[in-house]
């Protein structure tokens, strides 16, 4: 890595996030996503109400016994807890690792298939440095691929794998553990067997790209999709838990 070597810190952060028995709280909904929740309770969607909503989650008694990390939206990471303390400092005081959502949403690939790539690489170096200085120690970036009608294409797989690797590289160069998320959507009528085949193909491309970009895997986390039947497949309504679990583990082990 160029510049400061964050390797030791990255590995320690990754291990802390993966503390057995604990999970990550995703509190990174965009203002647009929160709108849907607030509308149902007739609550105005403004910055203060979003702050109060996140405050309610983060001040749950004993949260540190179950949560190892929190993913913040950039708005929340810069807001203040009711006691006047920055939220990143507040969760750190509980022994929870603060993280930040750094992608800028999805764009459309120009291949006539309505496939996606993830936006935000241009702004990421400055953003990663700023949020590390603020106290964040890991980041989230979501790539999306769909199955069906010839998808995912080789172009979509390549674009998203390289995008994830570039994101991971920038994060590690700035002290943030990257959560690498190549999400294969469950939408469609595909079989679990097809989902497993595509998952293996996508993960192989992602890890090839991570290796090409010299990503420190010990300081990186993978957020994989489960291998499942498509949401419109006839067997989706059946109890397929064991088959889907076995296929998921097999895809990951391969």
């Amino acid at each position: 890595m160029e510049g400061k070597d964050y390797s030791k810190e990255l590995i320690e952060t990754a291990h802390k996030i993966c503390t057995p028995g604990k999970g990550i709280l995703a509190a990174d909904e965009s203002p647009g996503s929160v709108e849907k929740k607030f509308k149902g309770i007739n609550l105005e969607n403004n910055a203060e109400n979003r702050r109060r909503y996140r405050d309610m989650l983060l001040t749950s008694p004993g949260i540190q016994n179950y949560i190892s990390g929190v993913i913040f939206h950039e708005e929340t990471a810069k807001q203040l807890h009711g006691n006047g303390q920055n939220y990143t400092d507040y969760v750190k005081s509980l022994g929870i690792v603060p993280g930040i959502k750094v992608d800028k949403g999805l764009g459309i690939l120009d291949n006539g298939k309505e496939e996606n790539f993830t936006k935000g690489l241009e702004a990421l170096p400055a953003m990663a440095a700023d949020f590390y200085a603020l106290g964040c120690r890991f980041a989230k970036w979501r790539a999306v691929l769909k199955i069906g009608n010839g998808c995912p294409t080789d172009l979509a797989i390549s674009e998203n794998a390289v995008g994830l690797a570039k994101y991971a590289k920038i994060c590690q160069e700035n002290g943030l553990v990257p959560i690498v998320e190549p999400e294969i959507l469950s939408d469609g009528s595909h079989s679990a067997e097809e989902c497993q085949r595509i998952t293996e193909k996508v993960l192989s491309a992602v890890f090839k790209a991570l290796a090409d970009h010299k990503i420190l895997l010990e300081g990186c986390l993978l957020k994989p999709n489960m291998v499942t039947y498509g949401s419109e497949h006839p067997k989706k309504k059946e109890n397929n838990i064991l088959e889907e679990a076995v296929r998921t583990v097999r895809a990951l082990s391969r």
Side-chain angles (χ1 to χ4, degrees), residues 109 111 115-117 144-145 152-161:
L109 289 172
N111 66 347
E115 292 183 289
N116 298 108
F117 70 95
V144 171
L145 298 111
T153 61
D154 288 344
L155 174 64
I157 293 173
S158 175
E159 286 287 325
N160 282 285

Side-chain angles (χ1 to χ4, degrees), residues 61-75:
I63 186 175
Q64 66 275 15
N65 297 323
Y66 311 101
I67 299 298
S68 59
V70 175
I71 306 172
F72 286 124
H73 186 274
E74 55 185 299
E75 176 186 67

